[in-house]
Amino acid sequence: MSSLLVCEGVTKRFGGLVALNNVSIEVGKGEILGIIGPNGSGKTTLINVISGVLLPDDGRVIFDGKDVSKLKPHVRVSLGISRTFQGSRVYPYLPVYYNVALSARSVYRDPEIARAKTNWALTVTKLIAEAVELPINLTPFKLRMVEIARAIVTNPKLVLLDEPFAGLSAEEVEEVIKIINKLNNLGVTFIIVEHKLRYLMKLAERVVVLNNGIKIFEGPPSEAIKDREVIQVYLGGGVS
């Protein structure tokens, strides 16, 4: 499997705090990679560095063979990197359709293509019925669907999902998993930051475990739950 994303020795500091310390990961085209770790371990910081919200102090981010380490987020979107955030970043008083369409128009100059992509993203996320609704009136699950629709409408090669299952019921999580698998079968690569390893075990071929900004494990989820250091620093003696 050829690599789509390579992070080489990525380090990020905030004053005296080292949020990421020489972290290296490689993600193959079409892979689903999970990133787990306790609060403050550097998971979201790594996602921010990959997406361009933060620039690394040391190391490089290589995407699809191109060094994107210093590129701005909107440029990375145009190259094929999209993401969701832990908290909702949708426009609460703009109808769902236009929330998604704005993301589409940021990439597609042709309004007809943007419209077709918007309708496709709303169909995949089962939001057609809510297209004219305001996000402020939606359930947390439907809001999550809007975020995912905004991420996939740009035709990404890589989607970064930051805690996509947070606050959802077990049934809603299964719906999100179905959508991720459907998109992955279409060739979309995913990096998923998540606290619940049991959900990642249904999706990810590999997981990376971070602790205090350091990568302490990389391998199959089934091996992560057996690793002594992972159990000690993240799972607290048991699997969540």
Side-chain angles (χ1 to χ4, degrees), residues 11 36 38-39 46 50 59 64 77 80 88 91 103 105 114 131 137 162 187 195 197 201 214:
T11 297
I36 64 174
N39 290 332
L46 180 57
I50 294 170
D64 208 13
V77 170
S88 177
Y91 299 100
S103 292
R105 287 302 300 270
N137 297 325
D162 199 350
H195 281 291
L197 184 56
M201 292 184 75
I214 299 171

Side-chain angles (χ1 to χ4, degrees), residues 124-221:
V124 170
T125 52
K126 300 180 181 179
L127 287 171
I128 292 295
E130 289 80 15
V132 298
E133 292 285 342
L134 298 180
I136 196 169
N137 297 325
L138 298 181
T139 65
F141 171 64
K142 289 296 184 178
L143 275 175
R144 192 65 42 82
M145 291 298 98
V146 177
E147 294 165 4
I148 292 174
R150 282 166 53 87
I152 66 174
V153 76
T154 58
N155 198 32
K157 300 174 185 176
L158 172 66
V159 177
L160 313 170
L161 300 178
D162 199 350
E163 298 193 20
F165 308 128
L168 302 184
S169 69
E171 293 78 11
E172 291 166 342
V173 167
E174 291 300 325
E175 286 299 313
V176 177
I177 288 174
K178 288 178 184 177
I179 291 172
I180 293 171
N181 278 326
K182 180 177 182 178
L183 293 166
N184 184 243
N185 289 334
L186 294 174
V188 181
T189 304
F190 285 89
I191 297 178
I192 304 174
V193 169
E194 180 54 48
H195 281 291
K196 301 294 186 181
L197 184 56
R198 66 176 180 270
Y199 296 146
L200 287 180
M201 292 184 75
K202 298 181 178 182
L203 283 165
E205 294 94 340
R206 291 185 301 127
V207 295
V208 167
V209 184
L210 299 177
N211 186 44
N212 293 324
I214 299 171
K215 184 174 73 173
I216 64 169
F217 177 89
E218 181 176 356

